[in-house]
């Protein structure tokens, strides 16, 4: 494994009226290729801000964010869009599926943005839906699926383009405990199988147990970093 993501002296300050709110103080962080990391902290700790900066959705007030040797803090919005399309996948707490599209169409959406022909993207989307156990749900719309099924579609969408980095923002926040276990095994298993870097944001210590490295965020600072052996490591051969 080699260094894939590096943050140097990253600070983020928001202006609220005449006041300054410091969301991140002075973050130095390195994440390796193929590593599963968890940004763990309570609401307001700065973990979601850090995720947004890593994904290029916001720019730091100060500091450097280097991904694949590219300083993403220097990219304009057009180049950031292309960067995310090429390298990044997202899994959201609220699923973020388009209600008017079928599962197949939702999964194929990232490929459509890349200009991949319909026939090819439908084939890839079918393969991903099979991988997440939803072969029979190709033509169902979000309203016809449970929360767990919708999140599986969201996972398939995140992985369909084989991105090098997956960001998962509270991916199990709307799920019951059994579905949470299934979803976490699925996400981490697929990431390990494909040697993808997975960064999970959560306030839940039990979710953090799936990670190789837990980055504890408190009041805009990295309080500590704990390297661990994941308690739920799905072997690559178990994911078909």
């Amino acid at each position: 494994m080699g260094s894939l993501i590096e943050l140097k002296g990253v600070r983020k300050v928001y202006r609220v009226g005449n006041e300054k709110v410091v969301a991140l103080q002075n973050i130095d962080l390195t994440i390796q290729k193929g590593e599963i990391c968890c940004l763990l902290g309570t609401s307001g700790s700065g973990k979601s801000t850090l995720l947004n900066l890593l994904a290029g959705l916001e720019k730091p007030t100060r500091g450097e964010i280097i991904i694949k040797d590219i300083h993403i803090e220097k990219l304009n919005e057009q180049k950031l869009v292309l960067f995310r399309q090429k390298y990044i996948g997202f899994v959201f707490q609220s699923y973020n599926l388009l209600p008017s599209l079928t599962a197949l169409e939702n999964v194929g959406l990232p490929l459509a943005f890349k200009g991949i022909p319909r026939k090819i993207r439908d084939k890839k989307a079918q393969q991903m839906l099979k991988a997440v156990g939803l072969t029979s749900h190709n033509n169902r719309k979000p309203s016809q699926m449970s929360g767990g099924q919708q999140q599986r579609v969201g996972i398939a969408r995140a992985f369909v383009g084989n991105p090098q980095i997956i960001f998962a923002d509270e991916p199990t926040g709307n799920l019951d405990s059994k579905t949470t276990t299934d979803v976490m095994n699925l996400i981490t298993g697929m990431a390990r199988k494909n040697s993808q870097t997975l960064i999970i944001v959560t306030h839940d210590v039990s979710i953090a147990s799936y990670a190789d490295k837990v980055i504890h965020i408190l009041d805009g600072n990295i309080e500590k970093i704990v390297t661990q052996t994941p308690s739920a490591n799905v072997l690559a051969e178990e994911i078909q």
Side-chain angles (χ1 to χ4, degrees):
M1 290 195 299
S3 176
L4 180 68
I5 299 171
E6 189 172 4
L7 280 70
K8 299 179 180 179
V10 169
R11 178 177 172 86
K12 181 63 178 179
V13 179
Y14 295 102
R15 288 191 175 274
V16 181
N18 295 322
E19 295 185 12
K20 292 182 180 179
V21 177
V22 180
L24 294 174
Q25 302 271 6
N26 189 42
I27 302 294
D28 293 311
L29 178 64
T30 299
I31 296 174
Q32 306 299 321
K33 182 180 184 298
E35 201 167 35
I36 295 182
C37 296
C38 177
L39 303 179
L40 180 67
T42 58
S43 178
S45 62
K47 62 185 187 300
S48 293
T49 298
L50 182 53
L51 178 73
N52 288 341
L53 293 177
L54 287 168
L57 300 173
E58 297 185 45
K59 289 189 178 293
T61 303
R62 187 181 70 209
E64 302 172 77
I65 303 173
I66 306 161
I67 303 177
K68 293 188 62 64
D69 298 322
I70 298 170
H71 280 260
I72 69 166
E73 83 279 0
K74 296 180 179 179
L75 299 181
N76 61 32
E77 189 55 40
Q78 184 179 9
K79 288 182 178 179
L80 280 169
V81 168
L82 294 175
F83 180 86
R84 285 191 290 265
Q85 285 180 357
K86 187 173 183 179
Y87 296 116
I88 294 174
F90 292 94
V91 180
F92 303 95
Q93 176 179 350
S94 54
Y95 322 134
N96 282 21
L97 303 179
L98 295 182
S100 61
L101 300 185
T102 64
L104 188 73
E105 291 165 338
N106 268 289
V107 173
L109 206 54
L111 303 179
F113 289 138
K114 292 181 179 181
I116 293 174
R118 176 72 178 266
K119 187 175 180 179
I120 296 174
R121 67 177 187 259
D122 280 356
K123 182 178 179 180
K124 288 181 177 291
Q126 286 173 348
Q127 291 171 344
M128 285 307 308
L129 285 169
K130 181 180 179 181
V132 300
L134 291 179
T135 305
S136 62
H137 289 62
N138 285 0
N139 296 316
R140 293 192 189 182
K141 293 184 177 180
S143 62
Q144 299 170 308
M145 293 182 281
S146 68
Q149 290 167 344
Q150 289 184 64
Q151 191 57 293
R152 285 173 178 266
V153 173
I155 292 166
R157 178 184 59 192
F159 281 88
V160 72
N162 195 30
Q164 294 186 31
I165 304 166
I166 304 289
F167 292 116
D169 190 4
E170 299 280 5
T172 60
N174 292 334
L175 305 177
D176 60 46
S177 58
K178 182 187 182 305
T179 308
T180 289
T181 300
D182 292 342
V183 164
M184 287 306 303
N185 284 339
L186 185 59
I187 295 175
T188 55
M190 292 179 73
R192 291 190 193 284
K193 178 185 177 182
N194 299 308
S195 299
Q196 291 160 300
T197 301
L198 173 62
I199 301 173
I200 306 163
V201 169
T202 187
H203 64 277
D204 188 341
V205 175
S206 66
I207 298 301
S209 68
Y210 287 79
D212 304 314
K213 182 160 65 180
V214 182
I215 302 154
H216 294 256
I217 311 292
L218 179 66
D219 297 333
N221 286 303
I222 294 178
E223 183 185 23
K224 61 181 176 179
I225 297 177
V226 178
T227 302
Q228 62 184 19
T229 300
S231 63
N233 184 2
V234 179
L235 298 177
E237 57 264 30
E238 293 178 354
I239 304 296
Q240 299 301 319

